[in-house]
Amino acid sequence: MDTQLLHFIIVTLKLVIPFAIILTFIPLLVWLERKGSAFIQDRPGPNRAAIMGIRLCGLIHPFADAMKLMFKEDIIPSQVHKFFYVLAPFIALSVASVTFLVIPFAAPMPFGGGVLSFQAANINAGVLYILAMTSMGVFGIMLAGWASNNKFARLGGLRSSAQMISYELSMGLAVISVIMWAGSLALNDIVSLQGANILRWNFIYDPLACLIFITAAFAETNRTPFDLPEGESELVAGYHTEYSSMKFSMFFMAEYANMVIASALIVTLFFGGWQIPFLDTNTFRTNADYYLYYFLVAAAVCCVILGTFLSIKFKKGRFGDKRDYEPLVFGVPAVVAGLAIFCLLVVLGRFPLPLEAANWIVAVCQIFTFLFKVLLMCWVFIWVRWTVPRIRYDQLMDLGWKFMLPLAMLNIVITAVRMLWQ
Amino acid sequence: MNPYFFYAFATITVLMVVLMILQKNPITGAMCLIVSFFSLAGLYVLLEAHFIAVLQILVYAGAIMVLFIFVIMFLNLKKEDLKTGRRPFYQFAALIASGALVTFLVVQYTKIPPVSFPESVAGFGTVEAIGSLMFSKYVIAFEVIGLLLLVGIIGAVLLGKKENHD
C-alpha cells in the first residue's frame, strides 16, 4: 500500500512539475524579452511596476500584465465560427505543454530499490513523439486563422501552415544524424551518450545538424526572422488579430511555451541535456560532499559581494518614496545570509553525506543545470529576434526547400561516412 | 490491455469518422478526422505499438491533414458553394448499400471465433524491432514502397513545373 501510494505521488509529481516549469518560464521569458530588447536597443526597459516599492528590475511587470489581461473584456466577434474560435487558443497552449513530458531533466537515480527517472514518459520513440507534437501546434494557429473570418487572420494561418510543413522536414532530417550517433530515439540515451565532456556534445561533434535544427526551430516556433504568420507590417497581427483578453494571452503564452520547448529540445539533443560540463554523474555522486562544500563557500562569497554592491547603491531621496529602500531590502539580508552560511561552514567543516542525500543533490544540480541551459538557449531566441529583421515570404520558402533541406540530406551522408571511417 | 480504454478509443474513432462524413463544413470534417486519428493512435498504444502510434500522429495528423486543411482554407468555400441539390435516388441507393454493408459486417462479426492474443515479447513495437524487421524480412516490400513514393514525388514536381511555365 505504502509503495503504491509513493508510486502514485511520484507519477503525479512527474506530470505536474513539467507544466509548472513551463508556466514559471513564461512570465520569466516575457520579462527577459522586454529587458533584453531594452538592453539591445539601449533603453532602460520595464521598471515602473512596484509592490511596496519593490521592483525587482521589472520582474513585477509580468504580474501587472497578467492582471490586465485577465480583467480585459473578452470579445467574440459576431461572424466567427464560435466552436473553433474558442478551441484554437486551447489547442495552441495545451499542445505546447504536452511536449515537455518526454524531456529528461536529470540522470536516472537509484531510489528505494528501483530507479527513479526524471522524465514523465520514457518513450522508446521520444524524438519522434516530440516532432509529432510540435507539428500539432500548427492546428491551433490554422483554426484561429480560419475561424476568425478575417482575411488577415486567414493569411496568417495559411502562411503558418506552409511554413511549418516546409521546416518540419529539415528539422526531422537534422535530427537523423544525432539519432545515428546515439543509435537510439530515446532522449535519455541521447543525453547519456554525449557525456560530461563538452567536446563530445553534439553541437561540436555535429555542428551542421545543430545549425539546421536551430534554424528550423526558429521557423517552427514562429519567432523572428520567421514570424511571418503574425507579421504586423503586413497582416495587422496575423492569426490572432480577432482575439482579445485571455484568449489572446493564451496565444501569447503558447509562443513562449513553444520557445521553452524548442530550447529544451535543442539543449537535450545538442548541448548535453542535463550533463554538467566536465562533471561525470558517478564522480559527482561519490564526491558530492566535496562539491557541495565548495559550492556553498562560493555561494556565500557571491552573496556577500552582491549584497554589499547593492547596499552601496542605496541613496536616500532618489525617488522620494519606498523605492529608495529597495537595494537595502535585498542587499542587507544577502550579506547577512552569506556571512551566516560562511560561519556555519567554518564551524561545521566538511561533513560526510549519506548516499541518498548525495544522489538527490546530484539530481537537483542536474535539473538546475538543464534549466539554466534552457534559459540560455531562450536568450539566444530573444537575442536573434531583436537583431535580425524579418525575411520575405519567398526568401523563407527558398531557404527552407532549396537550401536547408539539401544541406540536411548532405549532413546525413557526411555522418554516415564519418561513422564508417571510425 | 484495459478493455475500458479500448472501448473508449474505439467509440471515439467510429463516432468521429461518422461525424466527418455527416459534416457539411469541410474544416469541421477534417478536424473530426484528426481526432479519430488520435484515438486510433491511442488504440495502437494499447497494443504496445508505440512507434506506429507516434508515426500515425506524425504522418497523418501532422503532415497530411495540415495539407488538407491548407487546401480547404485556400479554396475558401462559402456557404452557398456547399449547398447541394437533393438527389433522392442517390440517397435511397446509399441507404440500401450501407444497410447491406452493416448487415454483412454484423453477420461476419458473429462468426469470428474468440481469439486470445499471444503475450507480447520484450522489445515488441520498439523502433529497433521494427527497423530490423523492415530491413530483413520485409526489405523488398520496403524498397518497393520507397520507389513508389519516389515516383510520386517526381510526378508532383513535374506537375508543379508544368503549371509554372504556362
Side-chain angles (χ1 to χ4, degrees):
Chain A
M1 178 58 211
D2 207 17
T3 50
Q4 216 169 14
L5 188 71
L6 191 69
H7 182 72
F8 181 75
I9 291 172
I10 287 173
V11 169
T12 317
L13 280 181
K14 272 184 185 176
L15 288 176
V16 171
I17 288 175
F19 289 103
I21 288 175
I22 288 189
L23 290 180
T24 331
F25 257 73
I26 290 169
L28 195 64
L29 284 181
V30 175
W31 171 77
L32 195 65
E33 176 119 70
R34 295 180 69 182
K35 271 288 181 195
S37 67
F39 169 67
I40 287 169
Q41 295 169 349
D42 204 12
R43 56 189 169 83
N47 63 357
R48 292 304 160 102
I51 298 175
M52 311 270 291
I54 290 170
R55 299 171 300 164
L56 273 174
C57 298
L59 256 178
I60 303 297
H61 268 266
F63 292 105
D65 286 344
M67 285 307 230
K68 186 193 83 173
L69 282 164
M70 265 185 244
F71 287 108
K72 280 229 166 177
E73 187 185 356
D74 187 15
I75 300 164
I76 298 183
S78 59
Q79 295 298 311
V80 300
H81 190 294
K82 272 223 182 75
F83 181 69
F84 286 139
Y85 178 83
V86 176
L87 188 69
F90 288 91
I91 294 182
L93 188 57
S94 58
V95 162
S97 27
V98 160
T99 320
F100 222 50
L101 292 177
V102 294
I103 304 269
F105 287 95
M109 175 185 108
F111 177 73
V115 172
L116 179 67
S117 67
F118 289 86
Q119 189 181 16
N122 190 6
I123 300 178
N124 176 258
V127 178
L128 283 181
Y129 171 84
I130 286 188
L131 289 180
M133 280 302 150
T134 44
S135 68
M136 284 301 100
V138 70
F139 283 119
I141 294 175
M142 282 171 84
L143 277 182
W146 177 77
S148 295
N149 198 14
N150 173 321
K151 60 186 167 193
F152 297 118
R154 183 161 302 179
L155 275 173
L158 279 175
R159 281 184 175 187
S160 155
S161 47
Q163 184 176 321
M164 287 267 186
I165 296 171
S166 314
Y167 281 84
E168 226 163 57
L169 292 171
S170 352
M171 201 169 179
L173 287 175
V175 176
I176 285 183
S177 64
V178 175
I179 296 169
M180 280 163 82
W181 287 119
S184 165
L185 268 76
L187 286 164
N188 208 17
D189 293 350
I190 293 173
V191 176
S192 308
L193 186 92
Q194 292 182 54
N197 187 355
I198 285 187
L199 294 177
R200 179 56 193 81
W201 289 2
N202 281 329
F203 79 103
I204 288 179
Y205 210 61
D206 200 352
L208 195 55
C210 182
L211 265 179
I212 295 170
F213 191 88
I214 291 178
T215 316
F218 274 91
E220 290 273 303
T221 49
N222 292 329
R223 293 282 298 182
T224 322
F226 303 110
D227 66 339
L228 289 126
E230 45 187 310
E232 59 267 30
S233 52
E234 305 148 22
L235 298 180
V236 188
Y239 57 90
H240 56 59
T241 304
E242 296 283 354
Y243 283 87
S244 56
S245 179
M246 268 321 268
K247 291 206 192 70
F248 160 75
S249 129
M250 279 171 89
F251 277 120
F252 192 62
M253 281 157 77
E255 187 190 329
Y256 286 94
N258 277 325
M259 212 165 104
V260 177
I261 281 145
S263 307
L265 196 55
I266 292 167
V267 165
T268 312
L269 292 176
F270 297 101
F271 291 85
W274 40 258
Q275 302 274 9
I276 303 170
F278 302 115
L279 192 53
D280 192 35
T281 310
N282 286 328
T283 339
F284 195 4
R285 271 184 193 153
T286 44
N287 302 320
D289 53 338
Y290 170 79
Y291 288 113
L292 181 71
Y293 185 78
Y294 285 104
F295 171 75
L296 282 179
V297 170
V301 170
C302 284
C303 263
V304 171
I305 291 173
L306 264 174
T308 326
F309 176 71
L310 272 177
S311 308
I312 288 169
K313 276 178 78 175
F314 170 69
K315 203 171 81 185
K316 207 166 159 53
R318 202 151 141 241
F319 296 102
D321 57 18
K322 281 178 188 158
R323 280 179 290 172
D324 283 346
Y325 299 96
E326 198 189 0
L328 281 186
V329 169
F330 289 103
V332 175
V335 174
V336 173
L339 287 176
I341 293 173
F342 201 76
C343 293
L344 209 67
L345 288 175
V346 170
V347 172
L348 284 177
R350 256 173 67 189
F351 48 91
L353 283 166
L355 196 65
E356 282 275 279
N359 283 346
W360 275 108
I361 286 168
V362 173
V364 168
C365 283
Q366 281 173 341
I367 289 172
F368 276 98
T369 314
F370 177 74
L371 292 180
F372 182 67
K373 282 181 190 171
V374 171
L375 203 60
L376 278 187
M377 203 60 226
C378 288
W379 167 248
V380 173
F381 272 75
I382 290 165
W383 184 13
V384 169
R385 172 169 176 183
W386 296 99
T387 312
V388 184
R390 182 182 301 138
I391 63 175
R392 224 169 48 216
Y393 192 69
D394 58 325
Q395 290 171 336
L396 173 94
M397 284 295 151
D398 280 353
L399 180 71
W401 288 101
K402 293 182 185 164
F403 182 67
M404 284 191 17
L405 193 63
L407 205 64
M409 285 181 182
L410 182 73
N411 188 44
I412 295 174
V413 177
I414 291 173
T415 313
V417 171
R418 275 176 65 192
M419 284 180 87
L420 281 179
W421 263 78
Q422 281 182 353
Chain B
M1 183 171 113
N2 195 331
Y4 296 113
F5 280 112
F6 169 76
Y7 286 122
F9 281 130
T11 318
I12 294 172
T13 312
V14 174
L15 203 74
M16 281 300 153
V17 172
V18 170
L19 263 180
M20 175 197 78
I21 298 169
L22 296 180
Q23 282 299 327
K24 280 240 169 70
N25 192 330
I27 294 253
T28 322
M31 289 313 288
C32 288
L33 192 59
I34 292 166
V35 176
S36 82
F37 281 152
F38 265 90
S39 51
L40 210 58
L43 286 178
Y44 285 132
V45 170
L46 290 181
L47 292 170
E48 297 198 9
H50 295 99
F51 182 64
I52 304 287
V54 171
L55 275 195
Q56 165 88 12
I57 294 174
L58 184 67
V59 174
Y60 284 99
I64 294 180
M65 288 318 290
V66 172
L67 267 182
F68 267 42
I69 293 185
F70 184 74
V71 171
I72 296 171
M73 277 170 73
F74 241 131
L75 294 176
N76 196 8
L77 296 169
K78 292 188 179 65
K79 272 195 181 135
E80 301 88 67
D81 301 333
L82 297 173
K83 275 181 191 147
T84 47
R86 284 180 164 277
R87 275 174 272 179
F89 173 71
Y90 285 112
Q91 285 178 348
F92 187 63
L95 199 69
I96 287 178
S98 50
L101 184 68
V102 168
T103 324
F104 173 75
L105 284 179
V106 168
V107 169
Q108 290 298 315
Y109 179 74
T110 51
K111 282 182 189 169
I112 298 172
V115 192
S116 62
F117 289 103
E119 282 290 306
S120 66
V121 260
F124 174 81
T126 59
V127 187
E128 292 86 354
I130 290 173
S132 56
L133 261 184
M134 249 185 342
F135 285 101
S136 58
K137 199 174 168 190
Y138 301 108
V139 66
I140 295 177
F142 180 69
E143 292 293 332
V144 169
I145 289 171
L147 211 63
L148 194 67
L149 285 174
L150 186 67
V151 171
I153 292 169
I154 293 172
V157 170
L158 217 67
L159 285 176
K161 274 226 150 131
K162 211 173 167 185
E163 228 160 276
N164 269 347
H165 279 299
D166 288 340

